[in-house]
Amino acid sequence: MALSALRLLLLCLACNVADLQNPDFGEPIESRPANCGQYKLPGCPRDFNPVCGSDMTTYPNECTLCMKIREAAHNIIIVRTGPC
């Protein structure tokens, strides 16, 4: 458990440093549709690779965004990799 918490902390710190080095800080890095065909829903991996959806919600990973798209029948795209 402690090791997982440490990994999460290091990941957050790495993302913050990467954002500070981004000349377009605060601007969307990418805009693309989620690749939902690669996931066998309703089960998603538990990896933490956050994505920001066009509904301005941070999803833990692309698969959870795909679950939301299928549940709500909304066309949500990925605005940027990382939290909103």
Coordinates of all heavy atoms in Angstrom, one line a residue:
M1 N 0.8 -1.2 0.0 CA 0.0 0.0 0.0 C 0.9 1.3 0.0 O 0.6 2.2 -0.7 CB -0.9 0.0 1.2 CG -1.9 1.1 1.3 SD -3.1 1.0 0.0 CE -4.1 2.4 0.3
A2 N 1.9 1.3 0.8 CA 2.8 2.4 0.9 C 3.5 2.6 -0.4 O 3.7 3.8 -0.8 CB 3.7 2.3 2.1
L3 N 3.9 1.5 -1.0 CA 4.6 1.6 -2.3 C 3.7 2.2 -3.4 O 4.1 3.0 -4.2 CB 5.1 0.2 -2.7 CG 5.9 0.2 -4.0 CD1 7.2 1.1 -3.8 CD2 6.4 -1.2 -4.3
S4 N 2.4 1.8 -3.4 CA 1.5 2.4 -4.4 C 1.3 3.8 -4.1 O 1.2 4.6 -5.1 CB 0.1 1.6 -4.2 OG 0.3 0.3 -4.6
A5 N 1.2 4.3 -2.9 CA 1.0 5.7 -2.6 C 2.2 6.5 -3.0 O 2.1 7.6 -3.5 CB 0.8 5.9 -1.1
L6 N 3.4 5.9 -2.8 CA 4.7 6.6 -3.2 C 4.7 6.7 -4.8 O 5.1 7.8 -5.3 CB 5.9 5.8 -2.7 CG 7.2 6.4 -3.1 CD1 7.4 7.8 -2.5 CD2 8.3 5.5 -2.6
R7 N 4.3 5.7 -5.5 CA 4.3 5.7 -6.9 C 3.3 6.8 -7.4 O 3.6 7.6 -8.3 CB 3.9 4.4 -7.5 CG 4.9 3.3 -7.5 CD 4.5 2.1 -8.1 NE 5.4 1.0 -8.0 CZ 5.2 -0.2 -8.2 NH1 4.0 -0.6 -8.6 NH2 6.2 -1.1 -8.0
L8 N 2.2 6.9 -6.8 CA 1.2 7.9 -7.2 C 1.7 9.3 -6.9 O 1.6 10.2 -7.8 CB -0.1 7.7 -6.4 CG -1.3 8.7 -6.7 CD1 -1.6 8.7 -8.1 CD2 -2.4 8.3 -5.8
L9 N 2.4 9.5 -5.8 CA 3.0 10.8 -5.5 C 4.0 11.2 -6.5 O 4.1 12.3 -7.0 CB 3.6 10.8 -4.1 CG 4.3 12.0 -3.6 CD1 3.3 13.2 -3.5 CD2 5.0 11.8 -2.3
L10 N 4.9 10.2 -6.8 CA 5.9 10.5 -7.8 C 5.3 10.8 -9.2 O 5.8 11.7 -9.9 CB 6.9 9.3 -7.9 CG 7.8 9.1 -6.7 CD1 8.6 7.9 -6.8 CD2 8.7 10.3 -6.5
L11 N 4.3 10.1 -9.5 CA 3.6 10.4 -10.8 C 3.0 11.8 -10.8 O 3.2 12.5 -11.8 CB 2.5 9.4 -11.1 CG 1.6 9.6 -12.3 CD1 2.5 9.4 -13.6 CD2 0.5 8.6 -12.3
C12 N 2.4 12.2 -9.7 CA 1.8 13.5 -9.7 C 2.9 14.6 -9.8 O 2.7 15.6 -10.4 CB 1.0 13.7 -8.4 SG -0.5 12.8 -8.4
L13 N 4.0 14.4 -9.1 CA 5.1 15.3 -9.1 C 5.7 15.4 -10.6 O 6.0 16.5 -11.0 CB 6.2 14.9 -8.2 CG 5.9 15.1 -6.7 CD1 7.0 14.6 -5.8 CD2 5.7 16.6 -6.4
A14 N 5.8 14.3 -11.2 CA 6.3 14.3 -12.6 C 5.4 15.0 -13.5 O 5.9 15.8 -14.4 CB 6.6 12.8 -13.1
C15 N 4.1 14.9 -13.3 CA 3.1 15.6 -14.2 C 3.2 17.1 -14.0 O 3.2 17.9 -14.9 CB 1.7 15.1 -13.9 SG 1.4 13.4 -14.5
N16 N 3.4 17.5 -12.7 CA 3.4 18.9 -12.4 C 4.7 19.5 -13.0 O 4.7 20.6 -13.5 CB 3.4 19.2 -10.9 CG 2.1 18.9 -10.3 OD1 1.1 18.9 -11.0 ND2 2.0 18.7 -9.0
V17 N 5.8 18.8 -13.0 CA 7.1 19.3 -13.5 C 6.9 19.4 -15.1 O 7.3 20.4 -15.7 CB 8.3 18.4 -13.2 CG1 9.5 18.8 -14.0 CG2 8.5 18.6 -11.7
A18 N 6.3 18.4 -15.7 CA 6.1 18.4 -17.1 C 5.2 19.6 -17.5 O 5.4 20.3 -18.5 CB 5.5 17.1 -17.6
D19 N 4.2 19.9 -16.7 CA 3.3 21.1 -17.0 C 4.1 22.4 -17.0 O 3.8 23.3 -17.7 CB 2.1 21.1 -16.1 CG 1.0 20.1 -16.5 OD1 1.1 19.7 -17.7 OD2 0.1 19.8 -15.7
L20 N 5.0 22.5 -16.0 CA 5.7 23.7 -15.8 C 6.6 23.9 -17.0 O 6.9 25.1 -17.4 CB 6.5 23.7 -14.5 CG 5.7 23.8 -13.2 CD1 6.6 23.6 -12.0 CD2 4.9 25.1 -13.2
Q21 N 7.1 22.9 -17.6 CA 8.0 23.0 -18.8 C 7.3 23.2 -20.1 O 7.9 23.5 -21.1 CB 8.9 21.8 -18.8 CG 9.8 21.6 -17.7 CD 10.6 20.3 -17.7 OE1 10.3 19.4 -18.5 NE2 11.6 20.2 -16.8
N22 N 6.0 23.0 -20.1 CA 5.2 23.1 -21.3 C 5.0 24.6 -21.6 O 4.4 25.4 -20.8 CB 3.8 22.5 -21.0 CG 2.9 22.5 -22.3 OD1 3.3 23.1 -23.3 ND2 1.8 21.9 -22.1
P23 N 5.4 25.1 -22.7 CA 5.3 26.5 -23.1 C 3.8 26.9 -23.2 O 3.5 28.1 -23.1 CB 6.0 26.7 -24.4 CG 6.1 25.3 -25.0 CD 6.1 24.3 -23.8
D24 N 2.9 26.0 -23.5 CA 1.5 26.3 -23.6 C 0.7 25.9 -22.3 O -0.4 25.5 -22.3 CB 0.9 25.5 -24.7 CG 1.5 25.8 -26.1 OD1 1.8 27.0 -26.2 OD2 1.6 25.0 -26.9
F25 N 1.4 26.2 -21.1 CA 0.8 25.8 -19.8 C -0.6 26.4 -19.8 O -0.9 27.5 -20.0 CB 1.6 26.4 -18.7 CG 1.1 26.0 -17.3 CD1 1.2 24.7 -16.9 CD2 0.5 27.0 -16.6 CE1 0.7 24.4 -15.6 CE2 0.0 26.7 -15.3 CZ 0.1 25.4 -14.8
G26 N -1.6 25.5 -19.4 CA -2.9 25.9 -19.3 C -3.7 25.7 -20.6 O -4.9 25.8 -20.6
E27 N -3.1 25.4 -21.7 CA -3.7 25.2 -22.9 C -3.9 23.7 -23.2 O -3.1 22.9 -22.7 CB -2.9 25.8 -24.1 CG -2.8 27.3 -24.0 CD -4.2 28.0 -24.2 OE1 -5.0 27.6 -25.0 OE2 -4.4 29.0 -23.4
P28 N -4.9 23.3 -23.9 CA -5.0 21.9 -24.2 C -3.8 21.3 -25.0 O -3.3 22.0 -25.9 CB -6.3 21.8 -25.1 CG -7.0 23.0 -24.8 CD -6.0 24.1 -24.5
I29 N -3.3 20.2 -24.6 CA -2.2 19.6 -25.2 C -2.6 18.8 -26.5 O -1.9 18.7 -27.5 CB -1.4 18.7 -24.2 CG1 -0.8 19.5 -23.1 CG2 -0.3 17.9 -24.9 CD1 -0.2 18.8 -22.0
E30 N -3.8 18.2 -26.4 CA -4.3 17.4 -27.5 C -5.8 17.4 -27.5 O -6.4 17.8 -26.5 CB -3.8 16.0 -27.4 CG -4.3 15.3 -26.2 CD -3.7 13.9 -26.1 OE1 -4.3 13.0 -26.7 OE2 -2.8 13.7 -25.3
S31 N -6.4 17.1 -28.5 CA -7.9 16.9 -28.6 C -8.1 15.7 -29.5 O -7.8 15.8 -30.7 CB -8.5 18.1 -29.1 OG -9.9 18.0 -29.1
R32 N -8.6 14.6 -29.0 CA -8.8 13.4 -29.8 C -9.9 12.6 -29.2 O -10.2 12.7 -28.0 CB -7.5 12.6 -29.8 CG -7.1 12.1 -28.5 CD -5.8 11.2 -28.6 NE -5.3 10.8 -27.3 CZ -5.7 9.7 -26.6 NH1 -6.6 8.9 -27.1 NH2 -5.3 9.4 -25.4
P33 N -10.5 11.8 -30.1 CA -11.5 10.9 -29.5 C -10.9 9.7 -28.8 O -9.7 9.4 -29.0 CB -12.2 10.3 -30.8 CG -11.3 10.5 -31.9 CD -10.4 11.7 -31.5
A34 N -11.6 9.2 -27.8 CA -11.1 8.1 -27.0 C -11.1 6.8 -27.9 O -12.0 6.6 -28.7 CB -12.0 7.8 -25.8
N35 N -10.1 6.0 -27.8 CA -10.0 4.7 -28.5 C -10.7 3.6 -27.7 O -10.0 2.8 -27.2 CB -8.5 4.4 -28.8 CG -8.4 3.2 -29.7 OD1 -9.3 2.7 -30.2 ND2 -7.1 2.8 -29.9
C36 N -12.0 3.6 -27.7 CA -12.8 2.7 -26.9 C -12.8 1.3 -27.4 O -13.0 0.3 -26.7 CB -14.2 3.2 -26.7 SG -14.3 4.8 -25.9
G37 N -12.4 1.1 -28.7 CA -12.4 -0.3 -29.2 C -11.4 -1.2 -28.6 O -11.5 -2.4 -28.7
Q38 N -10.4 -0.6 -28.0 CA -9.3 -1.4 -27.4 C -9.6 -2.0 -26.0 O -8.9 -2.8 -25.5 CB -8.0 -0.6 -27.4 CG -8.0 0.5 -26.4 CD -6.7 1.3 -26.4 OE1 -5.7 0.7 -26.8 NE2 -6.7 2.5 -25.9
Y39 N -10.8 -1.6 -25.5 CA -11.1 -2.0 -24.1 C -12.3 -3.0 -24.1 O -13.2 -2.8 -24.9 CB -11.5 -0.8 -23.2 CG -10.3 0.2 -23.2 CD1 -10.4 1.4 -23.8 CD2 -9.2 -0.1 -22.5 CE1 -9.4 2.3 -23.8 CE2 -8.1 0.8 -22.4 CZ -8.3 2.0 -23.1 OH -7.2 2.9 -23.0
K40 N -12.2 -4.0 -23.3 CA -13.3 -4.9 -23.2 C -14.1 -4.5 -21.9 O -13.8 -4.9 -20.8 CB -12.8 -6.4 -23.0 CG -12.1 -6.8 -24.3 CD -11.7 -8.3 -24.2 CE -10.9 -8.6 -25.4 NZ -11.2 -9.9 -26.0
L41 N -15.1 -3.7 -22.2 CA -15.9 -3.1 -21.1 C -17.0 -4.2 -20.6 O -17.4 -5.0 -21.4 CB -16.6 -1.9 -21.6 CG -15.6 -0.8 -22.0 CD1 -16.4 0.4 -22.5 CD2 -14.7 -0.3 -20.8
P42 N -17.4 -4.2 -19.4 CA -17.3 -3.1 -18.4 C -16.1 -3.1 -17.6 O -15.9 -2.2 -16.7 CB -18.6 -3.3 -17.6 CG -18.8 -4.7 -17.5 CD -18.3 -5.2 -18.9
G43 N -15.2 -4.0 -17.7 CA -14.0 -4.1 -16.8 C -12.9 -3.2 -17.4 O -12.6 -3.2 -18.6
C44 N -12.3 -2.4 -16.5 CA -11.2 -1.5 -16.9 C -10.0 -1.8 -16.1 O -10.1 -2.2 -14.9 CB -11.6 0.0 -16.7 SG -12.7 0.6 -18.0
P45 N -8.8 -1.6 -16.6 CA -7.6 -1.7 -15.8 C -7.5 -0.7 -14.7 O -8.2 0.4 -14.9 CB -6.4 -1.5 -16.8 CG -7.0 -0.8 -18.0 CD -8.5 -1.2 -18.0
R46 N -6.8 -0.9 -13.7 CA -6.7 0.0 -12.6 C -5.5 1.0 -12.7 O -5.2 1.6 -11.7 CB -6.7 -0.7 -11.3 CG -8.0 -1.5 -11.0 CD -7.9 -2.1 -9.6 NE -9.2 -2.8 -9.3 CZ -9.7 -2.9 -8.1 NH1 -9.0 -2.6 -7.1 NH2 -10.8 -3.5 -8.0
D47 N -5.0 1.1 -13.8 CA -3.8 2.0 -14.0 C -4.3 3.4 -13.9 O -5.4 3.7 -14.2 CB -3.1 1.7 -15.3 CG -3.9 1.9 -16.5 OD1 -5.2 1.8 -16.4 OD2 -3.4 2.1 -17.6
F48 N -3.4 4.3 -13.4 CA -3.7 5.7 -13.3 C -3.0 6.5 -14.3 O -1.8 6.8 -14.2 CB -3.3 6.2 -11.9 CG -3.7 7.6 -11.6 CD1 -5.1 7.9 -11.4 CD2 -2.8 8.6 -11.5 CE1 -5.5 9.2 -11.2 CE2 -3.2 9.9 -11.2 CZ -4.5 10.2 -11.1
N49 N -3.7 6.8 -15.4 CA -3.2 7.6 -16.5 C -4.3 8.6 -16.8 O -5.1 8.4 -17.8 CB -2.9 6.8 -17.8 CG -1.7 5.8 -17.6 OD1 -0.7 6.2 -17.0 ND2 -1.9 4.6 -18.0
P50 N -4.5 9.6 -16.0 CA -5.6 10.5 -16.1 C -5.7 11.2 -17.5 O -4.7 11.5 -18.1 CB -5.4 11.5 -15.0 CG -4.0 11.5 -14.7 CD -3.5 10.1 -15.0
V51 N -7.0 11.4 -17.9 CA -7.3 12.1 -19.1 C -8.4 13.1 -18.7 O -9.3 12.9 -17.9 CB -7.7 11.2 -20.2 CG1 -6.6 10.4 -20.7 CG2 -8.9 10.4 -19.9
C52 N -8.4 14.3 -19.4 CA -9.4 15.3 -19.2 C -10.4 15.2 -20.3 O -10.0 15.3 -21.5 CB -8.7 16.7 -19.2 SG -9.9 18.0 -19.0
G53 N -11.7 15.0 -20.0 CA -12.7 14.9 -21.0 C -13.3 16.2 -21.4 O -13.1 17.2 -20.6
S54 N -14.0 16.3 -22.5 CA -14.5 17.5 -23.0 C -15.7 18.0 -22.1 O -16.1 19.1 -22.2 CB -15.0 17.4 -24.4 OG -15.9 16.3 -24.5
D55 N -16.1 17.1 -21.2 CA -17.1 17.5 -20.2 C -16.4 18.1 -18.9 O -17.1 18.4 -17.9 CB -18.0 16.3 -19.8 CG -17.2 15.2 -19.1 OD1 -16.0 15.2 -19.2 OD2 -17.8 14.3 -18.6
M56 N -15.1 18.4 -19.0 CA -14.3 19.0 -18.0 C -14.2 18.1 -16.7 O -14.1 18.6 -15.6 CB -14.7 20.4 -17.7 CG -14.6 21.3 -18.8 SD -13.0 21.2 -19.8 CE -11.8 21.8 -18.6
T57 N -14.3 16.8 -16.9 CA -14.1 15.8 -15.8 C -12.8 15.1 -16.0 O -12.5 14.7 -17.2 CB -15.3 14.8 -15.8 OG1 -16.5 15.5 -15.7 CG2 -15.2 13.8 -14.7
T58 N -12.1 14.9 -14.9 CA -10.9 14.1 -15.0 C -11.2 12.6 -14.8 O -11.8 12.3 -13.8 CB -9.8 14.6 -14.0 OG1 -9.5 16.0 -14.2 CG2 -8.6 13.7 -14.0
Y59 N -10.8 11.8 -15.7 CA -11.1 10.4 -15.6 C -9.8 9.7 -15.3 O -8.7 10.1 -15.8 CB -11.6 9.8 -16.9 CG -13.0 10.4 -17.3 CD1 -13.1 11.6 -18.0 CD2 -14.1 9.8 -16.8 CE1 -14.4 12.1 -18.3 CE2 -15.4 10.3 -17.0 CZ -15.5 11.5 -17.8 OH -16.8 12.0 -18.0
P60 N -9.8 8.6 -14.5 CA -8.5 8.0 -14.1 C -7.7 7.4 -15.2 O -6.5 7.4 -15.2 CB -9.0 6.8 -13.1 CG -10.3 7.2 -12.7 CD -10.9 8.1 -13.8
N61 N -8.4 7.0 -16.3 CA -7.8 6.5 -17.5 C -8.8 6.5 -18.6 O -9.9 6.8 -18.5 CB -7.2 5.1 -17.3 CG -8.2 4.1 -16.8 OD1 -9.3 4.0 -17.3 ND2 -7.8 3.3 -15.8
E62 N -8.3 6.2 -19.8 CA -9.1 6.3 -21.0 C -10.3 5.3 -21.0 O -11.4 5.6 -21.5 CB -8.2 6.1 -22.2 CG -8.9 6.3 -23.6 CD -8.0 6.2 -24.8 OE1 -6.8 5.9 -24.6 OE2 -8.5 6.4 -25.9
C63 N -10.0 4.2 -20.4 CA -11.1 3.1 -20.3 C -12.3 3.6 -19.5 O -13.4 3.4 -19.9 CB -10.5 1.9 -19.7 SG -11.7 0.5 -19.7
T64 N -12.0 4.3 -18.4 CA -13.2 4.8 -17.6 C -13.9 5.9 -18.3 O -15.1 6.0 -18.2 CB -12.7 5.3 -16.2 OG1 -11.7 6.3 -16.4 CG2 -12.2 4.2 -15.3
L65 N -13.2 6.7 -19.1 CA -13.9 7.6 -20.0 C -14.8 6.9 -21.0 O -15.9 7.3 -21.2 CB -12.9 8.5 -20.7 CG -13.4 9.4 -21.8 CD1 -14.4 10.4 -21.3 CD2 -12.3 10.1 -22.6
C66 N -14.3 5.8 -21.5 CA -15.1 5.0 -22.5 C -16.3 4.4 -21.8 O -17.4 4.4 -22.4 CB -14.3 3.9 -23.1 SG -13.0 4.5 -24.2
M67 N -16.2 4.0 -20.6 CA -17.4 3.5 -19.8 C -18.4 4.6 -19.7 O -19.6 4.4 -19.9 CB -17.0 3.0 -18.4 CG -16.3 1.7 -18.4 SD -15.8 1.0 -16.8 CE -17.1 1.5 -15.7
K68 N -18.0 5.8 -19.4 CA -18.9 7.0 -19.3 C -19.6 7.3 -20.6 O -20.8 7.5 -20.7 CB -18.2 8.2 -18.8 CG -19.0 9.5 -18.7 CD -20.1 9.3 -17.6 CE -20.8 10.6 -17.4 NZ -21.8 10.6 -16.4
I69 N -18.8 7.2 -21.7 CA -19.4 7.5 -23.0 C -20.5 6.4 -23.4 O -21.5 6.8 -23.9 CB -18.3 7.4 -24.1 CG1 -17.3 8.6 -24.0 CG2 -18.8 7.3 -25.5 CD1 -16.1 8.5 -24.8
R70 N -20.2 5.2 -23.0 CA -21.2 4.1 -23.4 C -22.4 4.2 -22.4 O -23.5 4.0 -22.9 CB -20.6 2.8 -23.3 CG -19.6 2.5 -24.4 CD -19.1 1.1 -24.5 NE -18.2 1.0 -25.6 CZ -17.4 0.0 -25.8 NH1 -17.4 -1.1 -25.0 NH2 -16.6 -0.1 -26.9
E71 N -22.2 4.5 -21.2 CA -23.3 4.6 -20.2 C -24.3 5.8 -20.5 O -25.5 5.7 -20.5 CB -22.8 4.8 -18.8 CG -22.2 3.6 -18.2 CD -21.5 3.9 -16.8 OE1 -21.6 5.1 -16.4 OE2 -21.0 3.0 -16.2
A72 N -23.7 7.0 -20.8 CA -24.5 8.2 -21.0 C -24.8 8.5 -22.4 O -25.5 9.4 -22.7 CB -23.7 9.3 -20.3
A73 N -24.2 7.7 -23.3 CA -24.4 8.0 -24.8 C -24.0 9.4 -25.2 O -24.7 10.0 -26.0 CB -25.8 7.6 -25.2
H74 N -22.9 9.9 -24.6 CA -22.5 11.3 -24.9 C -21.2 11.1 -25.8 O -20.5 10.2 -25.7 CB -22.1 12.0 -23.6 CG -23.3 12.4 -22.8 ND1 -24.3 13.2 -23.3 CD2 -23.6 12.1 -21.5 CE1 -25.2 13.3 -22.3 NE2 -24.8 12.7 -21.2
N75 N -21.0 12.1 -26.6 CA -19.8 12.2 -27.4 C -18.7 13.0 -26.6 O -18.6 14.2 -26.9 CB -20.0 12.7 -28.8 CG -18.9 12.6 -29.7 OD1 -17.9 11.9 -29.4 ND2 -18.9 13.4 -30.7
I76 N -18.0 12.4 -25.7 CA -17.0 13.0 -24.9 C -15.6 12.7 -25.6 O -15.3 11.6 -25.8 CB -17.0 12.6 -23.4 CG1 -18.4 12.8 -22.8 CG2 -15.9 13.3 -22.6 CD1 -18.5 12.1 -21.5
I77 N -14.8 13.7 -25.8 CA -13.5 13.5 -26.4 C -12.5 13.8 -25.3 O -12.7 14.5 -24.3 CB -13.3 14.3 -27.7 CG1 -13.3 15.8 -27.4 CG2 -14.2 14.0 -28.8 CD1 -12.9 16.7 -28.5
I78 N -11.2 13.4 -25.6 CA -10.1 13.7 -24.7 C -9.6 15.1 -25.1 O -9.2 15.3 -26.2 CB -9.0 12.6 -24.8 CG1 -9.6 11.3 -24.3 CG2 -7.8 13.1 -24.0 CD1 -8.6 10.1 -24.5
V79 N -9.6 16.0 -24.1 CA -9.1 17.4 -24.4 C -7.6 17.4 -24.1 O -6.9 18.1 -24.9 CB -9.9 18.4 -23.4 CG1 -9.3 19.8 -23.6 CG2 -11.3 18.4 -23.7
R80 N -7.2 16.7 -23.1 CA -5.7 16.7 -22.9 C -5.4 15.4 -22.0 O -6.3 14.9 -21.4 CB -5.2 17.9 -22.1 CG -5.8 18.1 -20.8 CD -5.3 19.3 -20.0 NE -4.0 18.9 -19.4 CZ -3.0 19.7 -19.2 NH1 -3.1 20.9 -19.5 NH2 -1.9 19.2 -18.6
T81 N -4.2 15.0 -22.1 CA -3.7 13.9 -21.3 C -3.3 14.6 -20.0 O -2.7 15.6 -19.9 CB -2.5 13.2 -21.9 OG1 -2.8 12.7 -23.2 CG2 -1.9 12.1 -21.0
G82 N -3.8 14.0 -18.9 CA -3.6 14.5 -17.6 C -4.9 15.1 -17.0 O -5.9 15.1 -17.7
P83 N -4.8 15.5 -15.8 CA -6.0 16.1 -15.1 C -6.5 17.4 -15.8 O -5.7 18.1 -16.4 CB -5.6 16.2 -13.7 CG -4.2 16.3 -13.7 CD -3.7 15.5 -14.9
C84 N -7.8 17.7 -15.6 CA -8.3 18.9 -16.1 C -7.8 20.1 -15.4 O -7.4 20.1 -14.3 CB -9.9 18.9 -16.0 SG -10.6 17.7 -17.1

